[in-house]
Amino acid sequence: MTPQKANNFNWKKKLYEIIYEADTPAGKWFDVILLLFIILSILVVMLESVKKIDAQYHQYLLAFEWIITILFSTEYILRIVTINKPFKYIFSFYGLIDLLSTLPMYLSFFFVGSHLLIAVRSLRLLRVFRILKLVQFIGEANQLKDALKASRTKISVFIFAVLILSVILGTLMYMIEGDENGFTSIPTSIYWTIVTLTTVGYGDIAPQTSLGQIIATVIMILGYGIIAVPTGIVSVEFAKAGNNTQHTNTQVCPNCATDDHRDNATHCYNCGSLLNT
Amino acid sequence: MTPQKANNFNWKKKLYEIIYEADTPAGKWFDVILLLFIILSILVVMLESVKKIDAQYHQYLLAFEWIITILFSTEYILRIVTINKPFKYIFSFYGLIDLLSTLPMYLSFFFVGSHLLIAVRSLRLLRVFRILKLVQFIGEANQLKDALKASRTKISVFIFAVLILSVILGTLMYMIEGDENGFTSIPTSIYWTIVTLTTVGYGDIAPQTSLGQIIATVIMILGYGIIAVPTGIVSVEFAKAGNNTQHTNTQVCPNCATDDHRDNATHCYNCGSLLNT
Amino acid sequence: MTPQKANNFNWKKKLYEIIYEADTPAGKWFDVILLLFIILSILVVMLESVKKIDAQYHQYLLAFEWIITILFSTEYILRIVTINKPFKYIFSFYGLIDLLSTLPMYLSFFFVGSHLLIAVRSLRLLRVFRILKLVQFIGEANQLKDALKASRTKISVFIFAVLILSVILGTLMYMIEGDENGFTSIPTSIYWTIVTLTTVGYGDIAPQTSLGQIIATVIMILGYGIIAVPTGIVSVEFAKAGNNTQHTNTQVCPNCATDDHRDNATHCYNCGSLLNT
Amino acid sequence: MTPQKANNFNWKKKLYEIIYEADTPAGKWFDVILLLFIILSILVVMLESVKKIDAQYHQYLLAFEWIITILFSTEYILRIVTINKPFKYIFSFYGLIDLLSTLPMYLSFFFVGSHLLIAVRSLRLLRVFRILKLVQFIGEANQLKDALKASRTKISVFIFAVLILSVILGTLMYMIEGDENGFTSIPTSIYWTIVTLTTVGYGDIAPQTSLGQIIATVIMILGYGIIAVPTGIVSVEFAKAGNNTQHTNTQVCPNCATDDHRDNATHCYNCGSLLNT
C-alpha cells in the first residue's frame, strides 16, 4: 500500500464514520444537521404549496430549494464514494429515497410539473428513526416494534375480518339506501361503512331511510366494540414484552448452550447442569 | 362392486377431496382459485354499480358475470354430486349462500331488477375463513375467537346498558332540542345519541340550544369514557388466553416439587433433576 | 288472626312474591311480561313522535297508550298495597319513576302538552337491570360494576383534568379564531374543544386560521392519546376483578377469623395458626 | 425580638398557613372559597363572551369582574407579603398565572382590547390540582401521574411516528386530490390526515377521487388500529403501578425465607413464624 493510498483509505474511512455512523461527536453532529436540513427542506416544500406564500416569496423558496438539492446531492455522492459496496447502498431503501429526493429538482429542467414530485422528500423523514440511535429512545422503540411484530398475525386476521365485514355491510347499505341518498355505488358504500366503522364519521354521506339508520347504528356499535380487539391484542403483547425485558435471565448454559432461562433458575432446564449465577 | 362403479366411486372421492378439503395440492389450488374468482366476481358487481363504468363496459361486465355464474353453478352442482349427504350441504349456511349467489342471475330473465340481488355474492367472501385453514393463521384466529367468546356475556351486558342509555338520553334530547333543531322524532334523536356516544359524529344533526350542547358534551365524555369498558374486558380475556397457551407445562419436579416450568423443559430449573416428559 | 284476615294476608304475601320477587315461575312471568309492556309503551311513544306515523295512526296509538297507562297504574297500586312499608316504595327511585311514567297521561286532561312528559317512561327501562336477576348475567354485571366502582376515583380525577383542559384550550381557541370563524363565544369554543378532544368531530364548527388548525391538531392528538387513560384504568381493574374471583382463598382463620388469605397459604397471615386446607 | 415584631411574625405565619397550606380548618376554607371564586370568575368571563348576555347584563358583569379582580389582587399581595422568599413565588408558575389573571383588567384602562386577555384566568383552574391535596384523590392522582411519566418515552416515540406518518400521507393526498378537492396545500392536507387518523373526522374536507378514498380508507383503518398503541402502553404502566402499591410488603420470613407477603401480614403465610414488622 502506498502512503497516499493509505491516506486516501483513512480519509474515506473517517468520512464513512461521520456519514454512516453516530458513535463519534462528528458523526452525531452530521446526523443532527442532516435532520435539520431534512425538516427545513420539507418546510420549504410545504410553504411552496401554500398559494399565498408562494406568490410572494417564490424566488427565495426556489433558491433555498436549489441550495438544499445541491447539499443533498453532495451527501448522496459522498455516501456512494465512502462506502465499500456502493451498489448495496444505491439499491437499498434509504438509497432510493435519497436519490428520489434530489432527482425531481433536476428533472424540472426538462419536464414541467415533475418538480411536484419533490414532495417525496418527506420520506427522508423516516431517516429520523435511524438517527434516533443517538438517544436513549432506542430501547423503547425496540419494545414498541417487538410488541407490534408479535401481534402482527392477530392484527392481520382482525383487519381481514373488518374488511370482509365492510364489503358485506357496504353492499347491504347500497341496496337499502341506493343512489338517491348518496350511496351512489358499492365502492362508495364500502367507503362509507369504513368511515362509520372506524368512528371517523365525516358526514359527507349519511343514511336517510329508517332501515339505513338502524343498520348504521349497528355498524357504529360494532365499530365501537371491535376497537377493543386490536387494543386488547397490543396491550397483552406490551405486557409480555415488558415482562420479557424485565425478567430475562441472560445466561447461556455452559454445557448445552441453551438460553432464555427463568430469572431464578440455577440449573439449565434442558440438560440439568449448573448455571453460572 | 363392478369395476365401473368402483371407478366412479374413486372419481367422486377424489373430486370430493379437491372441492371440500385442502390437504392435497389439488385441493389447495382449488380453494385458492375459488377465492380469486369470488374476489373477481365481487369486483365486477362493484364496478357495475359505478354508473360511469357500467355505461361504458356494460357488455363486458355482463359477459364476465355470466361466465362466473356458470362456473359457480358448476361448482355448486359438483358439490352436491360428490358429497354423500347432499341435503346436509344444500341446507347448510354455506350451501344456501352458494345457491343465493348464482340464482339471482338466472332470475333476471324473468324478473327485472332481481339481478341486483347478486350483491349477496359478497357473503361468499366468508368462505375465506374456511380456506384460511390453509395457512398458519388458524391458531391466532382461534385465540381471537376464544377471547371474544369468553367476553360475550360481559359485552352483551355492556351493549344492553349502552342501548338503554341511548334511549333515555335520546328521548331527553328530543324534549330539549325538538323538531326545529333537527331532532325530528325520538328514533332520530336516539340515532343521533348513538352517533355521538360512539364518537362517530357525522354532524348532519347537531344540538343548537345551550342546554342541548351541555348534554351533548356529557354524552361525548360518557362515550369517550365507556369505550374503556369493552376494551378492558377484551384485554383481560386476551391476557387469559395468552397465559393459557404459555404456561401449559403442568409438571412438578419429582425431586424438589417446584412447578411452573417452561414448556420445553426436561430438567427442573431449580434442582436439575429430570422431569417426567 | 281471623281466617279471613289470614287469607287476606296470604293473598297479599303471594302477590308480593309475584310482583317484587323473581324466584317463583309466576314471579318470573310477571317480570318478563312487565318488561315487554315497558318496551311496547316506549315503542308507542317513539312512533307518536314520528310525524308521519302519528298523523295516520293517532287514534290507535292513543288508545294503546291509555291501555298501557291503566295497566301501569294498576301495577303501581298493587305495588303499594302488597308491600309492608308502602312509603318506602313510593319514595324510592323506582317508585318515583313508576309514578312519573303514568302521571303525565292523566295530567294531559288538564294541561295541554304535559303528555309529552310521557317520555319519562323510558326511564322504566332501567328496571331491566332488576329483572336481569332472572338470568346468569348477574355475575358478569356485578364484575363490571365492581371494576367500574374501583376505578371511580381515578376516572373522576381524569374527567376533572379533561374538563379543565377543555376550558383552557377552548378559551385559547376563542381568542385565536374568534367570532367570524364560528367560535362565537367561550362556551361554544369549549363545546367545540370537547367535540374534538373526544374525537366526535361534528364539523359544524371547524378552525379556519393556520394557528387554529395547528392547535386543533394538538388537541386531536391529545384526545387520541388520553383515551388511553380511562382504558388503561378500567383494564387493570378488570384484570384485578378477574384475579380476585379466580384466586380467592375462601377460608377464614379458625383462630382469629381473618379472611382474604393467599391461595397457597397454609397458615393464617395474622396469627400464624394452621388453616383448614 | 420585640413583642410587636414577634406578634407581627405570628400574624404573618398564621396568614401564611391559611393562604399556602391546607392543614388547618381555616386553610381548607380559604382554598375552597378561592376555588369557588376562580370558577365564578371564569363563568363571568364566559358569559361576557356570549353576545346576547353581555348586551343585557354588561354593567353587572363588569362590576362583578372588578370585585373579583380586586379580591385576587389582594390575595396576590398577601401571598407576596406572607412568604419568606417573595421572589421565588413571584417567578413561580402559579405566581405568574396569579399576576396575569389580574393584570389585564388594570391594563384595560390604557389599552382597549387588552381586557380580552382576562381569559388567561382560566389557567388559574390549574390551582385545583394543588387544592386537591385536601381530599383523598391525591393517591389516585399520583398513581395516574406515575403511570403517565413511566410511559412518557414510549408515547413520545409513538407521537413522533404518527407525525411523520401524517406528513408523508398528507403530502401523498395533496398530490392525489389536489387543489380542486379541498386539499389546497400540504399543511391543509396534513391537517386533514391528522383529523382522519385520530378518527375525529370533521368532514369539512373529504376525498373525492377514487384513489383518494382508497388511501383515506387505509388511513382510517391505520388510525383505528394504532390507537391500540398508546392504550396498550398506558395499560401496562397502570398494571405495573397497581402492582407496586399492592405488594409493598418487602419482608422475607426469617424462618423459611418466603417473600411476597400481604401488606398487613404479621406471620408468614407459609410456616406461621412471626415476621419483623
Side-chain angles (χ1 to χ4, degrees), chain A residues 116-128:
Chain A
L116 203 78
L117 290 167
I118 208 100
V120 91
R121 202 168 271 178
S122 65
L123 282 174
R124 285 207 93 188
L125 267 182
L126 289 174
R127 196 174 280 275
V128 162

Side-chain angles (χ1 to χ4, degrees), chain B residues 154 160 171 186 196 199 201 217 224, chain C residues 49 119 128 140 199 202 223 227:
Chain B
K154 276 206 203 83
F160 201 68
T171 309
I186 291 178
T196 303
T199 76
T217 301
Y224 192 61
Chain C
S49 77
V128 162
E140 306 284 357
T199 78
Y202 284 133
I227 203 167

Side-chain angles (χ1 to χ4, degrees), chain C residues 262, chain D residues 239-251 260-263:
Chain C
R262 303 191 74 84
Chain D
K240 277 186 203 162
N243 283 336
N244 287 346
T245 52
Q246 272 193 322
H247 307 293
T248 41
N249 192 330
T250 54
Q251 290 187 332
D260 200 15
H261 296 279
R262 305 194 72 86
D263 245 18

Side-chain angles (χ1 to χ4, degrees), chain D residues 62 71 80 127:
Chain D
L62 195 71
L71 279 173
I80 293 174
R127 195 174 282 273

Side-chain angles (χ1 to χ4, degrees), chain D residues 110-259:
Chain D
F110 311 101
F111 309 100
V112 175
S114 72
H115 162 257
L116 204 77
L117 290 167
I118 208 102
V120 91
R121 204 169 269 179
S122 64
L123 282 174
R124 285 209 92 188
L125 269 182
L126 289 173
R127 195 174 282 273
V128 161
F129 288 107
R130 286 190 113 189
I131 297 172
L132 228 59
K133 275 183 234 161
L134 300 168
V135 281
Q136 26 86 266
F137 284 96
I138 195 70
E140 306 284 357
N142 267 348
Q143 228 177 71
L144 270 177
K145 219 170 59 183
D146 286 355
L148 290 177
K149 209 182 268 177
S151 49
R152 200 179 33 183
T153 334
K154 276 207 203 80
I155 293 275
S156 304
V157 174
F158 170 72
I159 287 179
F160 201 66
V162 166
L163 284 180
I164 289 180
L165 201 70
S166 301
V167 170
I168 294 170
L169 290 172
T171 309
L172 191 67
M173 284 303 281
Y174 172 70
M175 284 158 71
I176 292 169
E177 290 282 327
D179 210 25
E180 63 277 16
N181 292 325
F183 293 76
T184 47
S185 68
I186 292 179
T188 305
S189 284
I190 294 171
Y191 167 71
W192 172 87
T193 307
I194 292 174
V195 166
T196 302
L197 200 67
T198 55
T199 78
V200 170
Y202 284 133
D204 50 350
I205 309 165
Q208 305 297 326
T209 65
S210 296
L211 189 58
Q213 289 188 343
I214 289 168
I215 290 169
T217 301
V218 172
I219 295 175
M220 280 169 223
I221 291 174
L222 221 80
Y224 192 60
I226 59 178
I227 203 167
V229 176
T231 308
I233 294 167
V234 174
S235 291
V236 170
E237 290 306 331
F238 273 127
K240 277 186 203 162
N243 283 336
N244 287 346
T245 52
Q246 272 193 322
H247 307 293
T248 41
N249 192 330
T250 54
Q251 290 187 332
V252 174
C253 174
N255 184 37
C256 68
T258 313
D259 59 356

Side-chain angles (χ1 to χ4, degrees), chain C residues 168-183:
Chain C
I168 294 170
L169 289 172
T171 309
L172 190 67
M173 283 304 279
Y174 171 71
M175 283 158 70
I176 291 169
E177 290 283 326
D179 211 23
E180 63 277 16
N181 291 326
F183 294 75

Side-chain angles (χ1 to χ4, degrees), chain A residues 198-216:
Chain A
T198 55
T199 76
V200 171
Y202 284 134
D204 50 349
I205 310 166
Q208 305 298 327
T209 65
S210 297
L211 188 57
Q213 290 188 342
I214 289 168
I215 289 168

Side-chain angles (χ1 to χ4, degrees), chain D residues 58-121:
Chain D
H58 185 72
Q59 297 302 320
Y60 302 99
L61 292 172
L62 195 71
F64 195 87
E65 208 165 296
W66 271 111
I67 291 167
I68 285 175
T69 302
I70 287 160
L71 279 173
F72 282 179
S73 304
T74 316
E75 182 220 339
Y76 183 68
I77 290 161
L78 281 177
R79 274 184 193 272
I80 293 174
V81 168
T82 57
I83 207 168
N84 279 331
K85 299 175 178 171
F87 285 101
K88 211 167 173 185
Y89 163 69
I90 290 170
F91 294 107
S92 73
F93 177 66
Y94 285 111
L96 289 171
I97 289 176
D98 289 352
L99 180 64
L100 284 172
S101 63
T102 54
L103 218 59
M105 204 62 197
Y106 297 113
L107 288 176
S108 65
F109 282 121
F110 311 101
F111 309 100
V112 175
S114 72
H115 162 257
L116 204 77
L117 290 167
I118 208 102
V120 91
R121 204 169 269 179

